[in-house]
Amino acid sequence: MSSTVEAERISGKIDRAPRRFSFNPRQSGIYVAFVLIVVLFTVLTGGTMLQPENISNIIVQNSYVLILAIGMILIIIAGHIDLSAGSVVAVTGAVSAVLMVNLHVPWLLALLITLVVGAVIGAWQGYWIAYFGIPAFIVTLAGMLVFRALTLTVLGNQGIGPFPDPIRTLSNGFTDGYLGNIGLGPLGGADLVSLLVGVLVVAGIALSQWRARRGRLQYRQEVDPLPVFLLKIGGAGVVVLAVVVQLARFKNIPWVLVLLAALVLFYSLLTTRAVFGRRIYAIGGNLQAATLSGVKVKSVVFWIFVNMGVLSALAGVIFAGRLNQAGPTAGTSFELDAIAAAFIGGAAVQGGVGKVVGAITGGLIMAVINNGMSLIGAPSEQVMLVKGLVLLAAVAYDIWTKRQR
């Protein structure tokens, strides 16, 4: 009997049943922590944390860090680090200001040139790391000093501004209402288009997760029971719709949030569906095995640093546009916030582990802590203390879960 069952299992005639409910603390703990932190500061601030204007401020004020976190998570997954991101933000913001303000280059062309400058910076650092073999820590530490010096050379001790209206709109602006507002009872009016966008996003999340679940079932992989799966999708949908409703009640969806959503979608697909993304995980998980399996390690490492340069340039333009000027101190400690976001979001110190959504969640945790402690009037030293302890706890938790396994 046992041999018959084994033969049927190997031939694929026996489907693997959905697993019982289980909580994976390493994968889901970050999202639970995020919800608990939001609830905590909502109570401490008397509900101000979840007011429409405050949610909008959290997104707009931290958008550049979230953009950097997307690029940083890819580098950390591959087992490297980038300490120069903040200085690259500064120098590319300075370049964009010179082009748009001093030289009167059309804003779109100036933006493209700035992104190319970021790519060149990333290629410069990627060459030394990938092809010359210098550790990323040393190369990017040198880059942090070099690009900060270049920023001071370009700007001196003064800022350059103001920026063109399209750049300021991208950094601080909101989508227009096209179909007017609809009443939401005690919540007041909200933009109809923003609400429809929220519904479409939730439908997209549900459809993609359902297809992923069906695919795992076809390959006889374990999945959550259907009620648990529906509960998770429903919870995510409620959170998304709640945020969209609050934004629609204020000034609609920030344009920078639209940009972030596009970046998250693109890089999530890149890391989960594309061969290039799988090679990043392979390199970080086991460099020797990846090399022996034919992965072009040097090329992959080179291009993830080029990508980091481009995203840093984009963040530089967004930050400069938000302040309406490029300043010599722009980008200070931005790389530390991006690194913290990646590790809090579940990235492993050794590499090979991490998700784009996790990095965004980690960045939002830092943003909520900053915003919440500001609302309750906490001094800056207490904010730094709490952020440092949160980062230490996240890394310690990651190491502890590995030991438990």
Side-chain angles (χ1 to χ4, degrees):
M1 176 67 69
S2 61
S3 60
T4 303
V5 173
E6 180 68 14
E8 290 181 348
R9 184 189 66 81
I10 294 175
S11 64
K13 294 180 180 179
I14 297 180
D15 289 341
R16 179 174 291 185
R19 63 191 177 197
R20 296 179 180 179
F21 174 74
S22 61
F23 176 74
N24 188 329
R26 188 175 181 186
Q27 294 183 357
S28 305
I30 180 64
Y31 307 109
V32 175
F34 176 61
V35 172
L36 292 178
I37 290 173
V38 171
V39 171
L40 172 64
F41 280 110
T42 301
V43 173
L44 293 178
T45 60
T48 304
M49 169 65 67
L50 295 182
Q51 289 300 310
E53 183 176 1
N54 194 61
I55 293 177
S56 179
N57 288 339
I58 291 175
I59 295 171
V60 172
Q61 293 174 3
N62 296 275
S63 56
Y64 48 89
V65 174
L66 298 179
I67 292 173
L68 291 177
I70 294 173
M72 192 66 72
I73 189 68
L74 300 185
I75 289 177
I76 292 176
I77 290 172
H80 296 283
I81 201 74
D82 187 353
L83 300 178
S84 68
S87 295
V88 177
V89 166
V91 72
T92 52
V95 168
S96 67
V98 170
L99 292 172
M100 297 181 195
V101 180
N102 291 355
L103 301 181
H104 305 289
V105 177
W107 72 270
L108 184 56
L109 177 59
L111 175 60
L112 294 176
I113 293 174
T114 303
L115 296 181
V116 171
V117 170
V120 171
I121 291 174
W124 165 261
Q125 298 193 121
Y127 168 78
W128 292 109
I129 296 166
Y131 294 103
F132 208 80
I134 303 177
F137 180 89
I138 301 300
V139 172
T140 58
L141 179 60
M144 178 176 67
L145 301 175
V146 169
F147 300 125
R148 182 62 62 179
L150 290 176
T151 303
L152 294 173
T153 301
V154 173
L155 297 178
N157 292 321
Q158 61 183 6
I160 297 179
F163 275 72
D165 289 340
I167 297 298
R168 285 184 289 173
T169 299
L170 176 62
S171 304
N172 290 316
F174 300 84
T175 57
D176 296 325
Y178 299 101
L179 300 179
N181 289 4
I182 61 171
L184 296 177
L187 296 179
D191 179 61
L192 178 59
V193 172
S194 298
L195 297 178
L196 292 176
V197 168
V199 172
L200 290 176
V201 169
V202 172
I205 293 174
L207 178 61
S208 63
Q209 292 301 311
W210 177 262
R211 293 182 61 183
R213 184 179 190 274
R214 187 174 61 181
R216 285 193 289 269
L217 284 173
Q218 291 176 349
Y219 286 98
R220 303 332 193 249
Q221 296 176 356
E222 290 185 347
V223 296
D224 288 323
L226 185 59
V228 175
F229 170 80
L230 294 177
L231 181 63
K232 289 182 177 180
I233 298 300
V238 168
V239 171
V240 171
L241 285 178
V243 171
V244 171
V245 167
Q246 293 294 76
L247 293 175
R249 292 174 59 203
F250 181 53
K251 293 182 179 179
N252 299 335
I253 300 175
W255 277 112
V256 74
L257 179 58
V258 177
L259 174 63
L260 272 171
L263 290 174
V264 170
L265 177 61
F266 173 78
Y267 282 96
S268 295
L269 293 176
L270 176 70
T271 53
T272 58
R273 302 290 179 88
V275 174
F276 183 81
R278 292 168 185 167
R279 288 174 176 171
I280 297 175
Y281 283 98
I283 292 171
N286 192 321
L287 178 59
Q288 184 177 5
T291 303
L292 294 175
S293 63
V295 174
K296 297 180 179 178
V297 175
K298 294 181 179 180
S299 176
V300 173
V301 172
F302 174 81
W303 283 110
I304 61 174
F305 277 93
V306 172
N307 175 76
M308 187 69 209
V310 172
L311 290 179
S312 297
L314 179 59
V317 175
I318 294 295
F319 183 72
R322 192 175 77 83
L323 298 183
N324 203 23
Q325 74 168 6
T329 60
T332 303
S333 299
F334 283 10
E335 64 279 348
L336 301 182
D337 288 335
I339 292 170
F343 283 124
I344 293 174
V349 178
Q350 298 83 359
V353 177
K355 293 182 178 180
V356 171
V357 175
I360 293 295
T361 305
L364 289 175
I365 286 177
M366 302 291 281
V368 168
I369 291 174
N370 280 330
N371 181 266
M373 297 196 72
S374 174
L375 290 176
I376 63 177
S380 59
E381 60 270 19
Q382 291 186 11
V383 178
M384 289 188 288
L385 174 64
V386 171
K387 289 168 65 177
L389 292 175
V390 169
L391 174 60
L392 179 62
V395 176
Y397 181 73
D398 174 69
I399 295 175
W400 178 77
T401 55
K402 286 182 179 178
R403 290 176 178 175
Q404 291 298 109
R405 291 196 304 169

